[in-house]
Amino acid sequence: MFITFEGPEGSGKTTQIRRLADFLLSQGRQVLTTRQPGGTEIGLQIRHILHDVHNSAMTPEAEILLYAADRAQHVGQLIRPALAAGQIVLCDRYVDSTIAYQGYGRGLDLDTLAKITKFATGGLQPDLTFFLDIEVSAGLARRESGQVEMNRMDLQQIAFYERVYQGYETLIKKDPQRWRRIDANQSIRAVQEQLQNTWTAFIADRAAASN
Ligand code: TMP
């Protein structure tokens, strides 16, 4: 099963993915936790280029192609083999990030992005996507007060992040079956519980649908 996590900066995805992975492992499930960009050795090198604050001259076209290159390597080398081996794959960001950030954020043509991402992934879609929902300003404040490295994508104007957020809202409206909205504005523990409960309900619904 392929599960992705999306959300604005500072939504706490990384912490929560780790906790959901521990929960699934405690149930005896096989789990692969990974991320985009940077889930493979080659992807890590691409992540470095994408996030280097010195690369402020990068064009939006170069940016999308680098995210797509990372994704193509990641899907081919890691995600598809893990899914074929029956693992649950938890991935921090996927195609929806490209639509939200490069499409709605940068203003690149959405049909072109769809073609590029389809080429990169071979059409692989998540079974379930969690949206860790936090207001843009609250997420940015959380990120600034944290001990995390600030990268090139953290240095945009606030209007950029607002467009990204609205992009996510549009994506959720288009495909509500796949998305689960999690209120990320709460304590780590409370968000963790929401994720576990939502996951448990999702699995129960799937089992009921297949009977
Ligand atoms: P993160 O790993 O800390 O979430 O940082 C990844 C950054 O890259 C974040 O600002 C979102 C951005 N991003 C895109 O703009 N497009 C993409 O396709 C992906 C995967 C990430």
Side-chain angles (χ1 to χ4, degrees):
M1 207 173 320
F2 184 29
I3 318 294
T4 58
F5 292 73
E6 297 286 347
E9 329 299 310
S11 58
K13 285 182 286 88
T14 311
T15 306
Q16 293 299 338
I17 291 172
R18 219 179 299 126
R19 289 181 177 224
L20 187 64
D22 289 344
F23 175 71
L24 297 176
L25 288 168
S26 75
Q27 295 183 330
R29 297 179 188 269
Q30 295 219 340
V31 181
L32 171 73
T33 304
T34 187
R35 68 171 173 177
Q36 288 187 2
T40 61
E41 271 301 314
I42 291 170
L44 265 182
Q45 294 174 50
I46 298 172
R47 181 181 175 96
H48 181 72
I49 300 171
L50 276 164
H51 287 181
D52 188 339
V53 289
H54 298 105
N55 287 339
S56 55
M58 189 181 294
T59 67
E61 291 78 8
E63 184 178 281
I64 162 64
L65 291 171
L66 285 167
Y67 280 117
D70 165 77
R71 185 163 298 134
Q73 186 65 33
H74 195 208
V75 168
Q77 184 185 334
L78 209 64
I79 298 180
R80 282 195 191 274
L83 293 173
Q87 288 187 285
I88 297 177
V89 176
L90 302 182
C91 189
D92 189 343
R93 299 194 181 280
Y94 190 58
V95 167
D96 298 304
S97 281
T98 288
I99 310 299
Y101 282 78
Q102 280 66 52
Y104 290 91
R106 298 276 190 233
L108 291 181
D109 177 62
L110 295 177
D111 290 338
T112 307
L113 292 192
K115 282 189 195 123
I116 293 171
T117 51
K118 187 158 186 211
F119 177 71
T121 62
L124 179 69
Q125 305 258 24
D127 297 291
L128 173 71
T129 301
F130 288 110
F131 180 60
L132 272 70
D133 190 1
I134 189 163
E135 237 178 70
V136 168
S137 53
L140 289 175
R142 211 192 243 182
R143 181 140 184 122
E144 269 163 30
S145 64
Q147 298 294 311
V148 284
E149 126 246 64
M150 296 298 272
N151 64 54
R152 192 180 59 88
M153 295 304 286
D154 294 317
L155 304 175
Q156 311 299 313
Q157 304 290 327
I158 185 113
F160 172 82
Y161 300 109
E162 297 285 1
R163 290 195 298 276
V164 169
Y165 187 91
Q166 289 312 319
Y168 276 126
E169 290 287 2
T170 305
L171 286 168
I172 294 168
K173 268 196 209 110
K174 270 193 203 150
D175 190 10
Q177 293 274 76
R178 172 165 66 87
W179 290 83
R180 298 291 183 282
R181 191 188 290 269
I182 301 292
D183 179 0
N185 219 349
Q186 303 183 1
S187 69
I188 290 179
R189 178 90 210 162
V191 176
Q192 178 185 346
E193 278 170 13
Q194 280 184 70
L195 274 166
Q196 289 176 1
N197 294 340
T198 309
W199 163 263
T200 305
F202 169 75
I203 288 298
D205 286 351
R206 245 172 101 101
S210 68
N211 281 333

Coordinates of all heavy atoms in Angstrom, one line a residue, residues 119-200:
F119 N 5.1 10.7 -16.7 CA 6.3 10.1 -17.3 C 7.3 9.6 -16.2 O 7.8 8.5 -16.2 CB 7.1 11.1 -18.2 CG 8.3 10.6 -18.8 CD1 8.3 9.6 -19.8 CD2 9.6 11.1 -18.4 CE1 9.5 9.1 -20.3 CE2 10.7 10.6 -18.9 CZ 10.7 9.6 -19.9
A120 N 7.5 10.5 -15.1 CA 8.4 10.2 -14.1 C 7.9 9.0 -13.2 O 8.8 8.2 -12.7 CB 8.6 11.4 -13.2
T121 N 6.6 8.8 -13.0 CA 6.1 7.8 -12.1 C 5.6 6.6 -12.8 O 5.2 5.6 -12.1 CB 5.0 8.4 -11.2 OG1 3.9 8.8 -12.1 CG2 5.4 9.6 -10.4
G122 N 5.4 6.7 -14.1 CA 4.7 5.6 -14.8 C 3.3 5.5 -14.3 O 2.6 4.5 -14.5
G123 N 2.8 6.6 -13.8 CA 1.3 6.7 -13.4 C 1.1 6.1 -12.0 O -0.1 6.0 -11.6
L124 N 2.1 5.9 -11.2 CA 1.9 5.3 -9.9 C 1.1 6.4 -9.0 O 1.6 7.5 -8.8 CB 3.2 4.9 -9.2 CG 3.1 4.4 -7.8 CD1 2.4 3.0 -7.8 CD2 4.4 4.3 -7.1
Q125 N 0.0 6.0 -8.4 CA -0.8 6.9 -7.6 C -0.8 6.4 -6.2 O -0.9 5.2 -5.9 CB -2.3 6.8 -8.1 CG -2.5 7.1 -9.5 CD -3.0 8.6 -9.7 OE1 -2.8 9.4 -8.8 NE2 -3.6 8.8 -10.8
P126 N -0.9 7.3 -5.2 CA -1.1 6.8 -3.8 C -2.4 6.2 -3.5 O -3.4 6.6 -4.2 CB -0.9 8.1 -3.0 CG -0.5 9.2 -3.9 CD -0.8 8.7 -5.3
D127 N -2.5 5.2 -2.6 CA -3.8 4.7 -2.2 C -4.5 5.7 -1.2 O -5.7 5.7 -1.1 CB -3.6 3.3 -1.5 CG -3.0 2.3 -2.4 OD1 -3.7 1.9 -3.4 OD2 -1.8 2.0 -2.3
L128 N -3.7 6.4 -0.5 CA -4.2 7.3 0.5 C -3.2 8.4 0.7 O -2.0 8.2 0.7 CB -4.3 6.5 1.9 CG -4.7 7.2 3.1 CD1 -6.1 7.6 3.1 CD2 -4.4 6.3 4.3
T129 N -3.7 9.6 0.9 CA -2.9 10.8 1.2 C -3.4 11.6 2.4 O -4.5 12.0 2.4 CB -2.9 11.7 -0.1 OG1 -2.4 11.0 -1.2 CG2 -1.9 12.9 0.1
F130 N -2.5 11.7 3.3 CA -2.8 12.6 4.5 C -2.4 14.0 4.2 O -1.3 14.3 3.8 CB -2.0 12.1 5.7 CG -2.5 10.8 6.3 CD1 -1.7 9.6 6.2 CD2 -3.7 10.7 6.9 CE1 -2.1 8.4 6.7 CE2 -4.1 9.5 7.5 CZ -3.4 8.4 7.3
F131 N -3.3 14.9 4.5 CA -3.0 16.3 4.4 C -2.8 16.9 5.8 O -3.8 17.0 6.6 CB -4.0 17.1 3.7 CG -3.7 18.6 3.5 CD1 -2.6 19.0 2.9 CD2 -4.6 19.5 4.1 CE1 -2.3 20.4 2.8 CE2 -4.3 20.9 3.9 CZ -3.2 21.3 3.3
L132 N -1.6 17.2 6.2 CA -1.4 17.8 7.6 C -1.7 19.3 7.5 O -0.8 20.0 7.0 CB 0.0 17.5 8.1 CG 0.0 16.1 8.8 CD1 -0.2 15.0 7.9 CD2 1.3 15.9 9.6
D133 N -2.8 19.6 8.0 CA -3.4 21.0 7.7 C -2.9 21.9 8.8 O -3.3 21.7 10.0 CB -4.9 20.9 7.7 CG -5.5 22.1 7.2 OD1 -4.8 23.1 6.9 OD2 -6.8 22.2 7.1
I134 N -2.2 23.0 8.4 CA -1.9 24.0 9.4 C -1.9 25.4 8.6 O -1.5 25.4 7.4 CB -0.5 23.8 10.0 CG1 -0.2 24.8 11.2 CG2 0.6 23.8 9.0 CD1 0.9 24.4 12.1
E135 N -2.3 26.4 9.2 CA -2.3 27.7 8.6 C -0.9 28.1 8.1 O 0.0 27.8 8.9 CB -2.8 28.8 9.6 CG -4.0 29.5 9.1 CD -4.4 30.5 10.2 OE1 -3.7 31.5 10.4 OE2 -5.5 30.3 10.8
V136 N -0.8 28.7 7.0 CA 0.5 29.0 6.4 C 1.4 29.8 7.5 O 2.5 29.4 7.7 CB 0.4 29.9 5.1 CG1 1.7 30.4 4.7 CG2 -0.2 29.0 4.0
S137 N 0.8 30.9 8.1 CA 1.6 31.7 9.0 C 2.1 30.9 10.2 O 3.2 31.0 10.7 CB 0.9 32.9 9.4 OG -0.4 32.6 9.9
A138 N 1.2 30.0 10.7 CA 1.5 29.2 11.9 C 2.6 28.2 11.5 O 3.6 28.0 12.3 CB 0.3 28.5 12.4
G139 N 2.5 27.6 10.4 CA 3.5 26.6 9.9 C 4.9 27.3 9.7 O 5.9 26.7 10.2
L140 N 4.9 28.5 9.1 CA 6.2 29.2 8.9 C 6.8 29.6 10.2 O 8.0 29.4 10.4 CB 6.0 30.4 8.0 CG 5.6 30.1 6.5 CD1 5.3 31.4 5.8 CD2 6.8 29.3 5.8
A141 N 6.0 30.0 11.2 CA 6.5 30.4 12.5 C 7.1 29.2 13.2 O 8.2 29.3 13.8 CB 5.4 31.0 13.3
R142 N 6.4 28.1 13.1 CA 6.9 26.8 13.7 C 8.2 26.4 13.1 O 9.2 26.0 13.8 CB 5.9 25.7 13.4 CG 5.8 24.7 14.5 CD 5.0 23.6 14.0 NE 3.7 23.3 14.7 CZ 2.9 22.3 14.4 NH1 3.1 21.5 13.4 NH2 1.8 22.2 15.1
R143 N 8.3 26.6 11.8 CA 9.5 26.2 11.1 C 10.7 27.1 11.5 O 11.8 26.6 11.7 CB 9.3 26.2 9.6 CG 10.4 25.8 8.8 CD 10.0 25.0 7.6 NE 11.3 24.6 6.9 CZ 11.6 23.3 6.7 NH1 10.9 22.4 7.1 NH2 12.8 23.1 6.1
E144 N 10.4 28.4 11.6 CA 11.5 29.3 12.0 C 12.0 29.1 13.4 O 13.2 29.3 13.7 CB 11.0 30.7 11.8 CG 11.3 31.2 10.4 CD 10.5 32.5 10.0 OE1 10.2 33.3 11.0 OE2 10.2 32.6 8.9
S145 N 11.1 28.6 14.3 CA 11.5 28.5 15.7 C 12.2 27.1 15.9 O 12.7 26.8 16.9 CB 10.3 28.6 16.6 OG 9.4 27.6 16.4
G146 N 12.1 26.2 14.9 CA 12.6 24.8 15.0 C 14.1 24.8 14.7 O 14.7 25.8 14.3
Q147 N 14.7 23.6 14.9 CA 16.1 23.5 14.7 C 16.4 22.9 13.3 O 17.3 22.2 13.1 CB 16.7 22.4 15.7 CG 16.5 22.9 17.2 CD 17.4 24.1 17.5 OE1 18.5 24.1 17.2 NE2 16.8 25.1 18.1
V148 N 15.5 23.3 12.3 CA 15.7 22.7 11.0 C 16.5 23.6 10.1 O 16.4 24.9 10.2 CB 14.3 22.4 10.3 CG1 13.7 21.2 11.0 CG2 13.4 23.6 10.5
E149 N 17.2 23.0 9.1 CA 17.9 23.8 8.2 C 17.0 24.6 7.3 O 15.9 24.1 6.9 CB 18.8 22.9 7.4 CG 18.8 22.9 6.1 CD 18.3 22.0 5.0 OE1 17.1 21.6 5.0 OE2 19.1 21.6 4.2
M150 N 17.3 25.9 7.0 CA 16.4 26.6 6.1 C 16.9 26.4 4.7 O 18.1 26.7 4.4 CB 16.4 28.1 6.4 CG 15.8 28.4 7.8 SD 14.1 27.9 8.0 CE 13.3 29.4 7.4
N151 N 16.1 26.0 3.7 CA 16.6 25.7 2.4 C 16.0 26.7 1.4 O 15.2 27.5 1.7 CB 16.3 24.3 2.0 CG 14.9 23.9 1.9 OD1 14.1 24.6 1.3 ND2 14.4 22.9 2.7
R152 N 16.4 26.6 0.1 CA 15.9 27.5 -0.9 C 14.4 27.6 -1.0 O 13.9 28.7 -1.2 CB 16.5 27.1 -2.3 CG 16.3 28.1 -3.4 CD 16.9 27.5 -4.7 NE 16.3 26.3 -5.1 CZ 15.2 26.2 -5.9 NH1 14.7 27.3 -6.4 NH2 14.6 25.1 -6.2
M153 N 13.7 26.5 -0.7 CA 12.2 26.5 -0.8 C 11.6 27.2 0.4 O 10.4 27.4 0.5 CB 11.7 25.1 -1.0 CG 12.1 24.4 -2.3 SD 11.6 25.4 -3.8 CE 9.8 25.1 -3.8
D154 N 12.4 27.5 1.4 CA 11.9 28.1 2.6 C 12.0 29.6 2.5 O 11.7 30.4 3.4 CB 12.7 27.7 3.9 CG 12.4 26.2 4.2 OD1 11.3 25.8 4.1 OD2 13.4 25.5 4.5
L155 N 12.6 30.1 1.4 CA 12.9 31.6 1.3 C 12.0 32.3 0.3 O 12.3 33.3 -0.2 CB 14.4 31.7 0.9 CG 15.4 31.0 1.8 CD1 16.8 31.2 1.2 CD2 15.3 31.6 3.2
Q156 N 10.8 31.7 0.1 CA 9.8 32.4 -0.8 C 9.0 33.4 -0.1 O 9.0 33.5 1.2 CB 8.9 31.3 -1.4 CG 9.6 30.1 -1.9 CD 10.6 30.4 -3.0 OE1 10.2 31.1 -4.0 NE2 11.8 29.8 -3.0
Q157 N 8.3 34.2 -0.9 CA 7.4 35.2 -0.3 C 6.1 34.5 0.3 O 5.8 33.4 -0.2 CB 6.9 36.2 -1.4 CG 7.9 36.9 -2.2 CD 8.6 37.9 -1.3 OE1 8.0 38.5 -0.4 NE2 9.9 38.1 -1.6
I158 N 5.5 35.1 1.3 CA 4.3 34.5 1.9 C 3.2 34.2 0.9 O 2.6 33.1 1.0 CB 3.8 35.4 3.1 CG1 2.7 34.6 3.8 CG2 3.3 36.7 2.6 CD1 3.1 34.3 5.2
A159 N 3.1 35.1 -0.1 CA 2.0 34.8 -1.1 C 2.2 33.5 -1.9 O 1.3 32.9 -2.3 CB 2.0 36.0 -2.1
F160 N 3.5 33.1 -2.0 CA 3.8 31.8 -2.7 C 3.2 30.7 -1.9 O 2.5 29.8 -2.4 CB 5.3 31.7 -2.8 CG 5.8 30.3 -3.3 CD1 5.8 30.0 -4.6 CD2 6.2 29.3 -2.4 CE1 6.2 28.7 -5.1 CE2 6.6 28.1 -2.8 CZ 6.6 27.8 -4.2
Y161 N 3.4 30.7 -0.5 CA 2.9 29.6 0.3 C 1.4 29.6 0.4 O 0.8 28.6 0.5 CB 3.5 29.7 1.7 CG 5.0 29.6 1.7 CD1 5.8 30.7 2.0 CD2 5.7 28.4 1.4 CE1 7.2 30.7 2.0 CE2 7.1 28.3 1.4 CZ 7.8 29.5 1.7 OH 9.2 29.4 1.6
E162 N 0.8 30.8 0.3 CA -0.7 30.9 0.3 C -1.2 30.3 -1.0 O -2.2 29.6 -0.9 CB -1.1 32.4 0.4 CG -0.8 33.1 1.6 CD -1.6 32.7 2.9 OE1 -2.5 31.9 2.7 OE2 -1.3 33.3 3.9
R163 N -0.5 30.5 -2.1 CA -1.0 29.9 -3.4 C -0.8 28.3 -3.3 O -1.7 27.6 -3.7 CB -0.2 30.4 -4.6 CG -0.5 31.8 -4.9 CD 0.0 32.2 -6.3 NE 1.5 32.1 -6.5 CZ 2.3 33.0 -6.1 NH1 1.9 34.2 -5.7 NH2 3.6 32.8 -6.3
V164 N 0.3 27.9 -2.7 CA 0.5 26.5 -2.5 C -0.7 25.9 -1.7 O -1.3 24.8 -2.0 CB 1.8 26.2 -1.8 CG1 2.0 24.7 -1.3 CG2 3.0 26.6 -2.7
Y165 N -1.0 26.6 -0.6 CA -2.1 26.1 0.3 C -3.4 26.0 -0.5 O -4.1 25.0 -0.4 CB -2.2 27.0 1.5 CG -3.2 26.5 2.5 CD1 -2.8 25.6 3.6 CD2 -4.6 26.7 2.5 CE1 -3.7 25.1 4.5 CE2 -5.5 26.2 3.4 CZ -5.0 25.4 4.4 OH -5.9 24.9 5.3
Q166 N -3.7 27.0 -1.2 CA -5.0 27.0 -2.0 C -4.9 25.9 -3.1 O -5.9 25.2 -3.4 CB -5.2 28.3 -2.7 CG -5.6 29.4 -1.8 CD -6.7 29.0 -0.8 OE1 -7.7 28.3 -1.2 NE2 -6.6 29.4 0.5
G167 N -3.7 25.6 -3.6 CA -3.5 24.5 -4.5 C -3.9 23.2 -3.9 O -4.6 22.3 -4.5
Y168 N -3.4 23.0 -2.7 CA -3.8 21.7 -2.0 C -5.3 21.6 -1.8 O -5.9 20.6 -2.0 CB -3.1 21.7 -0.6 CG -1.7 21.2 -0.6 CD1 -0.7 21.9 0.0 CD2 -1.4 19.9 -1.1 CE1 0.6 21.4 0.0 CE2 -0.1 19.4 -1.1 CZ 0.9 20.2 -0.5 OH 2.2 19.7 -0.5
E169 N -5.9 22.8 -1.4 CA -7.4 22.7 -1.3 C -8.1 22.3 -2.5 O -9.0 21.5 -2.5 CB -7.9 24.1 -0.8 CG -7.5 24.6 0.6 CD -8.3 23.8 1.6 OE1 -9.1 22.9 1.3 OE2 -8.0 24.1 2.8
T170 N -7.6 22.8 -3.7 CA -8.2 22.4 -5.0 C -8.0 20.9 -5.2 O -8.9 20.2 -5.7 CB -7.5 23.2 -6.1 OG1 -7.7 24.6 -5.8 CG2 -8.1 23.0 -7.4
L171 N -6.8 20.4 -4.9 CA -6.5 19.0 -5.2 C -7.4 18.1 -4.3 O -7.9 17.1 -4.8 CB -5.0 18.7 -4.8 CG -4.0 19.2 -5.9 CD1 -2.6 19.1 -5.3 CD2 -4.1 18.4 -7.2
I172 N -7.6 18.5 -3.1 CA -8.5 17.7 -2.2 C -9.9 17.7 -2.7 O -10.6 16.7 -2.7 CB -8.4 18.3 -0.7 CG1 -7.0 18.1 -0.2 CG2 -9.4 17.7 0.2 CD1 -6.7 18.9 1.1
K173 N -10.4 18.9 -3.1 CA -11.7 18.9 -3.7 C -11.9 18.0 -4.9 O -13.0 17.4 -5.1 CB -12.1 20.4 -4.1 CG -12.7 21.1 -2.9 CD -13.4 22.4 -3.4 CE -13.4 23.4 -2.3 NZ -12.5 24.5 -2.5
K174 N -10.9 17.9 -5.7 CA -11.0 17.1 -6.9 C -11.0 15.7 -6.7 O -11.5 14.9 -7.5 CB -9.7 17.4 -7.8 CG -9.9 18.6 -8.8 CD -8.8 18.6 -9.8 CE -8.7 19.9 -10.4 NZ -7.3 20.2 -10.8
D175 N -10.4 15.2 -5.6 CA -10.3 13.8 -5.4 C -10.4 13.4 -3.9 O -9.5 12.9 -3.2 CB -8.8 13.4 -5.8 CG -8.6 11.9 -5.9 OD1 -9.6 11.1 -5.7 OD2 -7.5 11.4 -6.1
P176 N -11.6 13.8 -3.3 CA -11.8 13.7 -1.8 C -11.6 12.3 -1.3 O -11.3 12.1 -0.1 CB -13.2 14.2 -1.6 CG -13.9 14.1 -2.9 CD -12.8 14.2 -4.0
Q177 N -11.9 11.3 -2.1 CA -11.8 9.8 -1.7 C -10.4 9.5 -1.2 O -10.2 8.7 -0.2 CB -12.1 8.9 -2.8 CG -13.5 9.0 -3.3 CD -14.3 8.0 -2.5 OE1 -14.7 8.3 -1.4 NE2 -14.6 6.9 -3.1
R178 N -9.4 10.1 -1.9 CA -8.0 9.7 -1.6 C -7.4 10.4 -0.4 O -6.5 10.0 0.3 CB -7.1 10.0 -2.8 CG -5.6 9.8 -2.6 CD -4.9 9.7 -3.9 NE -4.9 10.9 -4.7 CZ -4.0 12.0 -4.5 NH1 -3.1 11.9 -3.6 NH2 -4.1 13.0 -5.3
W179 N -8.0 11.6 -0.1 CA -7.4 12.5 0.9 C -8.0 12.3 2.3 O -9.2 12.1 2.4 CB -7.5 14.0 0.5 CG -6.7 14.4 -0.7 CD1 -7.0 14.2 -2.0 CD2 -5.4 15.0 -0.6 NE1 -6.0 14.7 -2.8 CE2 -5.1 15.2 -2.0 CE3 -4.6 15.5 0.4 CZ2 -3.9 15.9 -2.3 CZ3 -3.4 16.1 0.0 CH2 -3.0 16.3 -1.3
R180 N -7.2 12.5 3.4 CA -7.7 12.6 4.7 C -7.0 13.8 5.3 O -5.8 13.9 5.4 CB -7.3 11.4 5.6 CG -7.9 10.1 5.1 CD -9.4 10.0 5.3 NE -9.9 8.7 4.9 CZ -10.0 8.2 3.6 NH1 -9.8 9.1 2.6 NH2 -10.5 7.0 3.3
R181 N -7.9 14.7 5.8 CA -7.4 16.0 6.4 C -7.1 15.8 7.9 O -8.0 15.3 8.6 CB -8.4 17.1 6.2 CG -7.8 18.5 6.5 CD -9.0 19.5 6.5 NE -9.5 19.7 5.1 CZ -9.1 20.7 4.3 NH1 -8.1 21.5 4.7 NH2 -9.6 20.8 3.1
I182 N -5.9 16.1 8.3 CA -5.5 16.0 9.7 C -5.2 17.4 10.3 O -4.5 18.1 9.6 CB -4.2 15.1 9.8 CG1 -4.4 13.7 9.2 CG2 -3.7 15.0 11.3 CD1 -5.4 12.8 10.0
D183 N -5.8 17.7 11.4 CA -5.6 19.0 12.0 C -4.2 19.0 12.7 O -4.0 18.4 13.7 CB -6.7 19.3 13.0 CG -6.5 20.6 13.7 OD1 -5.5 21.3 13.4 OD2 -7.3 21.0 14.6
A184 N -3.2 19.7 12.0 CA -1.9 19.6 12.5 C -1.5 20.8 13.4 O -0.4 20.9 13.8 CB -0.9 19.7 11.3
N185 N -2.6 21.5 13.8 CA -2.4 22.6 14.7 C -2.4 22.3 16.2 O -2.5 23.1 17.0 CB -3.5 23.6 14.4 CG -3.0 25.1 14.4 OD1 -1.9 25.3 14.9 ND2 -3.8 26.0 14.0
Q186 N -2.3 21.0 16.4 CA -2.5 20.5 17.8 C -1.1 19.9 18.3 O -0.1 20.0 17.6 CB -3.5 19.4 17.9 CG -4.9 19.8 17.3 CD -5.9 18.8 17.5 OE1 -5.6 17.7 17.9 NE2 -7.1 19.1 17.0
S187 N -1.1 19.4 19.5 CA 0.1 18.8 20.1 C 0.6 17.6 19.2 O -0.3 17.0 18.5 CB -0.1 18.4 21.5 OG -1.0 17.2 21.5
I188 N 1.8 17.3 19.3 CA 2.4 16.1 18.5 C 1.5 14.9 18.9 O 1.2 14.1 18.0 CB 3.9 15.9 18.9 CG1 4.7 17.1 18.3 CG2 4.4 14.6 18.4 CD1 6.1 17.0 18.6
R189 N 1.3 14.7 20.1 CA 0.5 13.5 20.6 C -0.9 13.5 20.0 O -1.3 12.4 19.5 CB 0.5 13.6 22.1 CG -0.2 12.5 22.8 CD 0.7 11.3 23.1 NE -0.2 10.1 23.1 CZ 0.3 8.9 23.0 NH1 1.6 8.7 22.9 NH2 -0.5 7.9 23.0
A190 N -1.6 14.6 20.0 CA -2.9 14.7 19.5 C -3.0 14.4 18.0 O -3.8 13.7 17.4 CB -3.6 16.0 19.8
V191 N -2.0 14.9 17.3 CA -1.9 14.7 15.8 C -1.6 13.2 15.5 O -2.2 12.6 14.7 CB -0.8 15.6 15.1 CG1 -0.7 15.3 13.7 CG2 -1.2 17.1 15.4
Q192 N -0.7 12.7 16.3 CA -0.4 11.2 16.2 C -1.7 10.4 16.4 O -1.9 9.4 15.6 CB 0.6 10.9 17.3 CG 1.1 9.5 17.4 CD 2.0 9.2 18.6 OE1 2.5 10.2 19.2 NE2 2.2 8.0 18.9
E193 N -2.5 10.7 17.4 CA -3.7 9.9 17.6 C -4.7 10.1 16.4 O -5.3 9.1 16.0 CB -4.4 10.3 18.9 CG -3.7 9.6 20.1 CD -4.1 10.2 21.4 OE1 -5.1 10.9 21.5 OE2 -3.4 9.9 22.4
Q194 N -4.8 11.3 15.9 CA -5.7 11.5 14.7 C -5.2 10.6 13.6 O -6.0 10.0 12.9 CB -5.6 12.9 14.2 CG -6.4 13.9 15.0 CD -6.3 15.3 14.2 OE1 -6.8 15.5 13.1 NE2 -5.5 16.2 14.8
L195 N -3.9 10.6 13.4 CA -3.4 9.8 12.2 C -3.7 8.3 12.5 O -4.1 7.6 11.5 CB -1.9 10.0 12.1 CG -1.5 11.2 11.3 CD1 0.0 11.5 11.5 CD2 -1.8 10.9 9.8
Q196 N -3.4 7.8 13.7 CA -3.7 6.4 13.9 C -5.1 6.0 13.8 O -5.5 5.0 13.2 CB -3.2 6.0 15.4 CG -1.7 6.1 15.5 CD -1.2 5.8 16.9 OE1 -2.0 5.6 17.9 NE2 0.0 5.9 17.2
N197 N -6.0 6.9 14.3 CA -7.5 6.6 14.2 C -7.9 6.6 12.7 O -8.7 5.8 12.3 CB -8.3 7.6 15.0 CG -8.0 7.4 16.5 OD1 -7.5 6.4 16.9 ND2 -8.3 8.5 17.3
T198 N -7.4 7.6 12.0 CA -7.8 7.7 10.6 C -7.3 6.5 9.8 O -8.0 6.0 8.9 CB -7.3 9.1 10.0 OG1 -7.6 10.1 10.9 CG2 -7.8 9.3 8.6
W199 N -6.1 6.1 10.1 CA -5.5 4.9 9.4 C -6.4 3.7 9.7 O -6.8 2.9 8.8 CB -4.1 4.7 9.9 CG -3.6 3.3 9.6 CD1 -3.6 2.3 10.4 CD2 -3.1 2.9 8.3 NE1 -3.1 1.2 9.8 CE2 -2.8 1.5 8.5 CE3 -2.9 3.4 7.1 CZ2 -2.3 0.7 7.5 CZ3 -2.4 2.7 6.0 CH2 -2.1 1.3 6.2
T200 N -6.7 3.5 11.0 CA -7.5 2.3 11.4 C -8.9 2.3 10.7 O -9.3 1.3 10.2 CB -7.7 2.3 12.9 OG1 -6.4 2.4 13.5 CG2 -8.3 1.1 13.4

